[in-house]
């Protein structure tokens, strides 16, 4: 038996052993550990707004960005560069976007999934999808044990109320979310399969978020988001989420 085959068999045996032995293998337990890792439900209930800013690196080109989020589902993204900008948002009823880099001067209104498809593939709701997931109409199920960057993970499938299906990879001991697999919501990516990696988690006002997000498709990095500033519960007028003109 060659060494490569031996390694494969040993790894398979190890994964089978861990699958049968690891604690918290029900989907509910895995999600509970993750919610605790990001600060817990009581801390997140206190969050009404989030403003974040940093660098948005798309295809090797760095741009500054600022995002505004307000409970339950208002959001806006602004990416300015050399006197022009890209902006996209959702005002609680409909979505919109305007791309001055393409010389657009008026916002384009969007509906449905497109309205909620931020260019950085982030979830637009301020509250994490796994918080009160059943009340939101989402379903979760345990899939398997796997690895992400050589870290052992428990994989959970999230079936959203809208019918969208996503897979999340949580580190087995800490509950840290390391990766998400999903179909791109961004129209420009034409339904590409994405792997979205999360790292550099930091705590702010009792909650914890990743300060680095990397989106890949077919092994190629599409987008890297690096958060530099992050504030919680600053006052944001609802007018902030209306279309930029």
């Amino acid at each position: 038996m060659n060494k490569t085959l031996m390694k494969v068999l040993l790894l398979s045996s190890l994964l089978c052993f861990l699958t049968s032995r690891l604690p918290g293998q029900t989907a509910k337990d895995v999600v509970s550990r993750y919610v605790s890792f990001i600060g817990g439900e009581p801390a997140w209930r206190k969050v009404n707004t989030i403003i974040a800013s940093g660098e948005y690196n798309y295809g090797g080109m760095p741009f500054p960005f600022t995002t505004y989020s307000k409970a339950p589902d208002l959001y806006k993204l602004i990416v300015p560069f050399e006197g022009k900008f890209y902006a996209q948002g959702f005002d609680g009823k409909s979505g919109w976007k305007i791309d001055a880099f393409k010389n657009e001067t008026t916002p384009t209104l969007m509906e449905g999934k497109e309205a909620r498809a931020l260019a950085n593939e982030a979830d637009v709701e301020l509250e994490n999808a796994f918080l009160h997931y059943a009340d939101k109409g989402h379903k979760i199920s345990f899939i398997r044990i796997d690895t992400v960057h050589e870290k052992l993970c428990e994989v959970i499938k999230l079936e959203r109320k809208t019918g969208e299906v996503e897979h999340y990879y949580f580190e087995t001991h800490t509950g840290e979310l390391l990766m998400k697999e999903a179909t791109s919501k961004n129209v420009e990516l034409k339904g590409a399969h994405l792997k979205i990696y999360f790292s550099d988690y930091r705590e702010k006002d009792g909650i914890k978020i990743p300060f680095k997000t990397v989106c890949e498709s077919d092994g190629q990095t599409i987008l890297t988001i690096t958060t530099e500033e992050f504030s919680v519960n600053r006052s944001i007028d609802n007018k902030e989420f209306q279309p930029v003109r």
Side-chain angles (χ1 to χ4, degrees), residues 48-233:
N48 185 55
T49 68
I50 290 177
I51 300 175
S53 60
E55 184 181 88
Y56 194 83
N57 192 307
Y58 188 80
M61 291 289 292
F63 302 91
F65 79 86
T66 302
T67 57
Y68 303 83
S69 301
K70 186 173 182 178
D73 57 2
L74 282 70
Y75 73 89
K76 183 173 74 171
L77 164 74
I78 297 286
V79 181
F81 186 71
E82 295 184 348
K84 293 189 176 183
F85 68 91
Y86 174 90
Q88 184 170 345
F90 185 77
D91 64 7
K93 295 181 179 179
S94 61
W96 55 269
K97 67 177 180 178
I98 182 169
D99 191 347
F101 297 112
K102 296 180 179 179
N103 297 317
E104 294 178 1
T105 57
T106 58
T108 300
L109 296 182
M110 301 178 294
E111 301 294 339
K113 293 181 180 179
E114 186 181 13
R116 295 175 176 271
L118 275 176
N120 66 0
E121 296 296 334
D123 294 321
V124 303
E125 294 87 357
L126 180 143
E127 185 177 89
N128 189 287
F130 288 103
L131 290 167
H132 315 293
Y133 63 88
D135 294 338
K136 297 171 183 174
H138 305 332
K139 297 179 182 179
I140 61 172
S141 55
F142 180 87
I143 301 299
R144 65 180 182 276
I145 299 294
D146 210 322
T147 59
V148 173
H149 296 154
E150 300 182 354
K151 293 183 178 180
L152 206 60
C153 297
E154 292 162 308
V155 185
I156 296 297
K157 179 171 73 172
L158 173 70
E159 297 181 67
R160 292 180 180 266
K161 182 179 180 180
T162 56
E164 296 167 293
V165 174
E166 302 156 352
H167 290 81
Y168 293 79
Y169 293 66
F170 300 99
E171 204 276 331
T172 54
H173 297 294
T174 65
E176 176 181 351
L177 174 61
L178 299 179
M179 187 180 77
K180 168 185 173 181
E181 283 188 301
T183 300
S184 172
K185 299 184 294 293
N186 192 325
V187 175
E188 293 183 1
L189 294 180
K190 298 178 180 179
H193 179 77
L194 295 180
K195 291 185 176 181
I196 306 173
Y197 297 91
F198 307 95
S199 60
D200 191 19
Y201 282 83
R202 302 183 194 180
E203 187 174 323
K204 182 75 172 181
D205 294 331
I207 64 172
K208 193 178 291 184
I209 67 161
F211 269 57
K212 186 172 183 179
T213 302
V214 178
C215 300
E216 293 184 0
S217 181
D218 292 329
Q220 299 295 315
T221 298
I222 297 173
L223 176 69
T224 299
I225 306 163
T226 303
T227 299
E228 297 169 357
E229 299 290 337
F230 182 82
S231 63
V232 176
N233 288 337

